[in-house]
């Protein structure tokens, strides 16, 4: 079986570096918010082209912390996409704000600016843009739209490590950004981890307070914070993995390029190609097929593991009843949810496996 994720296919030198990092932390007897976290925050900021970053416990917390650092909370509306990890929506709700769901563009599966305009109310404070599957697009349009309407642009970068648009790198086009280092992300820890990145030092300072009980100095609490600290072990592992991220990203781009050139089954459609190669980091390679479930079963029989991102749009989740949304509804997101399928795209795939995936997709003959 060609696996969906590349765990266990990484260079042994990387595994050894991770074990050495873990040993360093255990030997140091310092486990939470220490020198490894501080060093990772600096290294991650540099990788993003930022001055500083704040390590947090996960990407969901990062979204809550971004919003709260900008003073967005109860009574405020935040517009985002229903085609995302549910954590995007939860982060808005956890900040006390109200998510408003706009539809997506069919060609990219990203938030539609036209639909966002229909979602604006006097309570709208921000657009939470998700660089879904690793793609940054139309960043000039988003900047202009948010400037024109006086809204904050916040980026959910959980899938977009090292992506760079013509308007700037992921995480620095808007006012604040949240990152996830969940193990399956392009940069992953060996557990949960996340970060907040911003150009705005006030956001960084507030995020640093909020992640640690809202504590300014020991036992003095100036904010109602949370416990969203990053631990030393995860930070040390991330430091061991970060030096390989650029190389891994390059490999993802090569694989995606092969898929774009090779997949030619008329039953299958591909999303729009990247605006520029740098603007897409191919966290996921997603195709659409009206007979999606039959195709997934066919590929499994042909030895190709697939997943679906995402089979249920946010507004169709049982936990999210009465979600506010575009008055025109969210038909494009619903159609995407029922036809999308993610192919393996991790850097551990061999060239011949990539060709096998392409051949299997092209051989699929719909019933
Ligand atoms: C993974 C992910 C998150 C959540 O990150 P966690 O670290 O799992 O909390 C949020 N948004 C998107 C788009 C994601 O892919």
């Amino acid at each position: 079986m060609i696996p969906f994720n590349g765990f266990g296919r990484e260079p042994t030198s990387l595994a050894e570096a991770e074990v050495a990092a873990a040993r360093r932390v255990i030997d140091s007897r310092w486990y939470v918010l220490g020198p490894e976290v501080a060093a990772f925050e600096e290294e991650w900021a540099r990788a993003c082209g930022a001055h500083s970053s704040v390590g947090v416990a996960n990407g969901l917390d990062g979204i809550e912390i971004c919003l709260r650092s900008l003073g967005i909370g109860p009574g405020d509306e935040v517009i985002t996409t229903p085609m995302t990890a549910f954590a995007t929506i939860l982060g808005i709700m956890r900040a006390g704000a109200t998510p408003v769901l706009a539809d997506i563009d069919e060609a990219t599966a990203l938030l539609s600016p036209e639909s966002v305009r229909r979602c604006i109310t006097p309570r709208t404070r921000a657009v939470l843009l998700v660089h879904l599957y690793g793609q940054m697009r139309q960043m000039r349009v988003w900047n202009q739209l948010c400037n024109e309407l006086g809204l904050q642009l916040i980026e959910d970068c959980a899938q977009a490590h090292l992506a760079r648009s013509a308007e700037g790198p992921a995480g620095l086009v808007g006012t604040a950004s949240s990152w996830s280092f969940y193990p399956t992300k392009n940069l992953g820890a060996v557990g949960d981890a996340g970060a907040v990145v911003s150009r705005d030092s006030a956001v960084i300072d507030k995020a640093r307070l909020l992640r640690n009980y809202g504590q300014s100095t020991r036992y003095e609490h100036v904010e109602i914070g949370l416990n969203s600290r990053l631990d030393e072990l995860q930070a040390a592992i991330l430091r061991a993995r970060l030096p390989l991220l650029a190389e891994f990203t390059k490999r993802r781009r090569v694989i995606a390029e092969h898929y774009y050139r090779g997949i030619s089954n008329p039953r299958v459609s591909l999303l729009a190609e990247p605006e520029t190669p740098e603007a897409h980091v191919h966290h996921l390679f997603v195709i659409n097929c009206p007979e999606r479930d039959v195709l997934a079963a066919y590929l499994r029989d042909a030895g190709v593991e697939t997943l679906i991102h995402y089979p249920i749009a946010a507004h169709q989740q049982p936990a999210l009843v009465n979600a506010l949304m575009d008055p025109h509804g969210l038909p494009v997101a619903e159609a995407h949810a029922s036809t999308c399928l993610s192919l393996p795209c991790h850097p551990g795939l061999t060239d011949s496996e990539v060709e096998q995936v392409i051949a299997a997709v092209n051989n699929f003959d719909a019933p």
Side-chain angles (χ1 to χ4, degrees):
M1 185 68 81
I2 299 174
F4 191 81
N5 286 309
F7 299 125
R9 287 181 163 213
E10 293 172 344
T12 42
S13 57
L14 177 54
E16 282 160 13
E18 291 181 280
V19 170
R23 157 131 251 138
R24 197 168 68 228
V25 171
I26 292 163
D27 287 346
S28 80
R29 309 279 165 204
W30 191 328
Y31 303 127
V32 176
L33 293 188
E36 297 286 344
V37 170
F40 174 69
E41 288 175 336
E42 232 182 278
E43 288 161 14
W44 182 242
R46 204 177 316 138
C48 293
H51 285 299
S52 25
S53 77
V54 180
V56 297
N58 55 66
L60 162 60
D61 284 359
I63 293 167
E64 173 183 351
I65 291 170
C66 281
L67 291 167
R68 292 185 57 191
S69 296
L70 289 164
I72 296 171
D76 297 330
E77 291 176 359
V78 177
I79 301 175
T80 195
T81 170
M83 184 44 59
T84 183
F86 199 60
T88 307
I89 319 293
L90 286 176
I92 297 171
M93 297 175 87
R94 285 252 311 266
T98 304
V100 180
L101 303 172
D103 210 356
I104 59 173
D105 279 330
E106 189 185 356
T108 63
L110 296 175
L111 201 57
S112 150
E114 294 72 38
S115 178
V116 166
R117 282 184 185 276
R118 289 193 291 269
C119 293
I120 305 280
T121 76
R123 291 175 297 283
T124 309
R125 289 286 310 281
V127 173
L128 176 51
L129 200 60
V130 179
H131 302 312
L132 190 73
Y133 308 149
Q135 357 158 46
M136 295 183 82
R137 282 184 196 275
Q138 291 195 293
M139 294 311 292
R140 180 188 293 267
V141 169
W142 290 113
N143 254 336
Q144 282 172 350
L145 186 145
C146 288
N147 281 338
E148 173 199 329
L149 299 167
L151 305 177
Q152 301 284 2
L153 180 62
I154 300 164
E155 300 172 66
D156 179 343
C157 295
Q159 303 186 356
H161 308 77
L162 301 190
R164 170 178 280 276
S165 72
E167 301 299 297
L172 292 177
V173 179
T175 33
S177 62
S178 170
W179 301 79
S180 169
F181 307 113
Y182 184 77
T184 58
K185 309 294 186 184
N186 286 22
L187 177 62
V190 292
D192 281 304
V196 167
V197 169
S198 173
R199 287 185 196 283
D200 184 343
S201 61
V203 169
I204 292 290
D205 292 346
K206 184 106 176 252
R208 206 160 262 141
L209 287 180
L210 286 173
R211 72 157 173 200
N212 191 20
Y213 306 150
Q215 181 171 268
S216 53
T217 56
R218 189 177 286 189
Y219 305 130
E220 187 182 5
H221 299 269
V222 295
E223 296 281 346
I224 304 298
L226 52 156
N227 176 352
S228 186
R229 298 179 295 232
L230 180 58
D231 66 66
E232 290 284 284
L233 188 59
Q234 300 306 339
I237 297 279
L238 288 166
R239 293 183 69 202
R241 298 185 62 84
L242 179 54
L244 280 91
L245 179 58
E247 206 53 47
F248 283 171
T249 305
K250 251 191 223 164
R251 177 69 187 151
R252 286 176 185 273
R253 289 193 179 118
V254 168
I255 294 165
E257 183 65 20
H258 279 276
Y259 284 158
Y260 273 112
R261 299 292 151 255
I263 295 174
S264 60
N265 188 330
R267 305 300 306 167
V268 167
S269 49
L270 305 182
L271 293 173
E273 292 196 34
E275 275 184 355
T276 65
E278 295 72 35
H280 203 326
V281 294
H282 304 284
H283 172 59
L284 295 168
F285 194 95
V286 173
I287 62 177
N288 291 87
C289 176
E291 301 85 11
R292 188 260 315 278
D293 297 335
V294 189
L295 173 58
Y298 176 87
L299 290 175
R300 171 157 288 279
D301 288 344
V304 179
E305 187 184 15
T306 59
L307 287 175
I308 300 172
H309 300 87
Y310 295 89
I312 307 175
H315 63 292
Q316 299 174 312
Q317 294 291 352
L320 198 66
V321 288
N322 303 325
L324 298 182
M325 64 177 82
D326 183 337
H328 292 190
L330 305 169
V332 186
E334 289 168 14
H336 185 78
S338 63
T339 58
C340 64
L341 187 67
S342 308
L343 302 178
C345 190
H346 59 81
L349 292 174
T350 65
D351 290 347
S352 95
E353 286 176 324
V354 173
E355 294 314 316
Q356 262 173 270
V357 173
I358 292 170
V361 171
N362 287 344
N363 285 336
F364 173 65
D365 201 359

